[in-house]
Amino acid sequence: MISKSQWYKNITHPSAIEIGFAIAVFAIVAYAAQVILPFGFGWLAAICIPLATMALTPAAPVIGMGAFVFLSHGLPRYNAEFAQIQELMPLFPIATIVVFAGWIVRGRKDGPLFRWGNPGVVACTLFAGWLLICFWVGYVNNYQWTFSEFSRHHPFNHLSGYVFFLMAVQLLGDRDSTCLFAAIFICSLLLGALANPGEIYLNGDLGAMASIALPVAALLFITSTRRPAQIFWSAAVAGLIILLLFTRNRAGLVGMGVATVSVSYTHLTLPTTL
């Protein structure tokens, strides 16, 4: 029997659509490899392996979301070569569409995908609608977004955030999936810092995300009773503290305060062990 908290689906006989999805993902990986190969095998592995992992999304959507998080935060975002790669291929729109499509494939068997009555979903949907109006006003006033802006301030980035918020509400409702996603998120941040240590203080996104991740890692350390988990989360807390000291991000301190309040409330409502 599969436990209720199991974050993956045991697929012994994949359907035709699941097989087709995997084939489509590997076709995208082949296209990405062709674009990235001139930049070296390091970039090839760092981008193509997470893209290939997204083929598992119908079986484990949390893995697909984690692969996107790694691409977003585990790579040196301000590296000149990475910027060139994103201008040659719309990496993040492709990754968003792949993970969302894999989630839809999974939802064909698991029932409704959306919890539209959730207050958070309602608020986020209204906010996304407001952004859509703002972007439309900008468009009719002759601000034309370019292909190269996918990596910066293109409206699709906000749509991507909205899509992943909807997925998170649906998928991160149990202990195992939440811990797994948090571990991927935190490891991605630490790897992103190690990938370009000399430019950490310039990476405002990294500082803001680390300040949010730190209280989460601390909460998971406090509530863990298994020794391997305690060791992992204590190391994560130490790594994030060091990262925050190097970023010197004042906005990150505000984010850490908000996250601390949030996880403190969560600690009062969660079971005592993870």
Side-chain angles (χ1 to χ4, degrees):
M1 175 184 270
I2 299 175
S3 74
K4 217 174 160 186
S5 64
Q6 190 167 348
W7 51 265
Y8 64 92
K9 179 171 65 175
N10 187 13
I11 299 180
T12 54
H13 301 288
S15 64
I17 191 170
E18 289 165 343
I19 295 173
F21 174 80
I23 293 173
V25 171
F26 283 106
I28 292 172
V29 172
Y31 158 70
Q34 183 181 7
V35 173
I36 299 168
L37 187 57
F39 294 90
F41 288 102
W43 285 112
L44 185 69
I47 294 176
C48 287
I49 290 176
L51 285 177
T53 304
M54 292 177 183
L56 299 173
T57 302
V62 175
I63 294 295
M65 291 175 59
F68 182 88
V69 165
F70 174 79
L71 290 175
S72 299
H73 301 293
L75 300 177
R77 290 171 56 91
Y78 296 96
N79 183 279
E81 290 185 337
F82 191 39
Q84 292 177 40
I85 291 171
Q86 292 177 86
E87 290 180 2
L88 292 172
M89 63 174 292
L91 176 61
F92 293 114
I94 288 175
T96 298
I97 292 170
V98 167
V99 177
F100 184 67
W103 183 45
I104 296 295
V105 170
R106 169 159 178 143
R108 292 178 69 252
K109 292 184 177 180
D110 288 355
L113 291 172
F114 303 107
R115 297 174 183 172
W116 295 108
N118 185 297
V121 171
V122 173
C124 193
T125 301
L126 292 173
F127 181 63
W130 170 250
L131 288 177
L132 180 62
I133 294 172
C134 293
F135 291 136
W136 175 251
V137 171
Y139 183 81
V140 298
N141 282 278
N142 298 319
Y143 186 91
Q144 309 295 320
W145 285 275
T146 64
F147 185 76
S148 64
E149 287 179 306
F150 276 133
S151 61
R152 298 176 182 87
H153 304 292
H154 196 282
F156 191 92
N157 293 335
H158 297 273
L159 177 62
S160 176
Y162 175 65
V163 166
F164 280 106
F165 178 82
L166 292 179
M167 292 181 64
V169 169
Q170 182 72 19
L171 297 172
L172 302 181
D174 62 77
R175 198 168 50 195
D176 292 347
S177 60
T178 302
C179 288
L180 175 63
F181 185 75
I184 295 172
F185 173 54
I186 291 169
C187 288
S188 296
L189 294 177
L190 296 175
L191 287 172
L194 291 173
N196 200 2
E199 304 295 333
I200 290 178
Y201 70 98
L202 295 176
N203 193 334
D205 296 339
L206 189 61
M209 293 297 102
S211 65
I212 294 172
L214 179 56
V216 175
L219 172 66
L220 292 170
F221 168 72
I222 293 170
T223 55
S224 296
T225 56
R226 301 171 185 173
R227 184 53 59 103
Q230 290 176 336
I231 294 173
F232 174 83
W233 292 118
S234 62
V237 168
L240 290 169
I241 291 174
I242 294 172
L243 177 57
L244 277 173
L245 292 175
F246 275 98
T247 58
R248 293 174 289 180
N249 191 315
R250 287 173 293 181
L253 295 177
V254 177
M256 185 172 66
V258 174
T260 300
V261 172
S262 177
V263 298
S264 298
Y265 171 77
T266 304
H267 179 44
L268 298 176
T269 58
L270 278 177
T272 56
T273 59
L274 283 175

